Amino acid sequence: MSGAFSPHCDISETIQMPIADSTILGANVQIFHPALVNLYGCRIGAGTRIGTFVEIQAGAEVGAHCKISSHSFICEGVLIEDEVFIGHGVMFTNDLAPRATAAGGGLQTAADWTLERTRVQFGAAIGSNATVVAGITIGRHALVGAGAVVTHDVPDHAIVAGVPARVIGDTRTRLAADQTPTPETSQAGVNT
């Protein structure tokens, strides 16, 4: 192992990603590893839980009683309402025509692109590794399947999956089916 580390690297130093002073945290927000998140200029509602390696940018808002799982990225322009679940590694975008440089060849500035806003409504759930393309709305109590790429608005109560995401069901029907007793659960006293 000798020589595996640079002589200029002191591994005893703690490197922290910031929770910037510009971040507004509601009461009882839980951040499980504060040294391993990057929150700046955003608002987080009361009772929300934030996992490790989450970035929430300036101008993003997360409602109350949400769960933001590890490795997720919530960019400027995203509004997440109350009681929303964001799975591991969910990515939001906010630009429909991303480019590194402007017409003149220099790096883009804020003046060179258009912010597209995205809204995730009350009680929705987004599965792990989903990507949500800029400028859409995910409806109330909707469910986005793991790995989906959401390119269009998702209606209230819709279940969507795939690339691109398509409606494959309704959360009200699924919930009712999940709560219907089966012979196995009835005998065990479950769901009765």
Side-chain angles (χ1 to χ4, degrees), residues 42-154:
C42 56
R43 294 168 133 336
I44 311 295
T48 288
R49 296 182 293 173
I50 297 175
T52 307
F53 304 117
V54 168
E55 179 172 346
I56 305 176
Q57 292 186 326
E61 294 185 41
V62 177
H65 307 290
C66 294
K67 180 178 180 187
I68 312 298
S69 300
S70 70
H71 299 86
S72 292
F73 174 71
I74 301 168
C75 53
E76 176 184 8
V78 173
L79 170 62
I80 296 173
E81 295 182 1
D82 296 344
E83 298 184 28
V84 168
F85 172 83
I86 304 294
H88 300 279
V90 171
M91 299 291 140
F92 288 87
T93 66
N94 61 6
D95 185 358
L96 292 174
R99 298 286 181 266
T101 58
L107 289 177
Q108 277 195 347
T109 66
D112 296 316
W113 66 285
T114 302
L115 173 69
E116 299 289 339
R117 298 194 178 279
T118 297
R119 180 183 206 109
V120 182
Q121 294 183 323
F122 181 88
I126 302 176
S128 294
N129 293 316
T131 298
V132 180
V133 175
I136 65 157
T137 297
I138 296 175
R140 294 173 61 84
H141 301 287
L143 174 61
V144 174
V149 176
V150 184
T151 59
H152 294 88
D153 288 351
V154 176

Side-chain angles (χ1 to χ4, degrees), residues 151-165:
T151 59
H152 294 88
D153 288 351
V154 176
D156 291 352
H157 303 283
I159 300 171
V160 299
V163 179

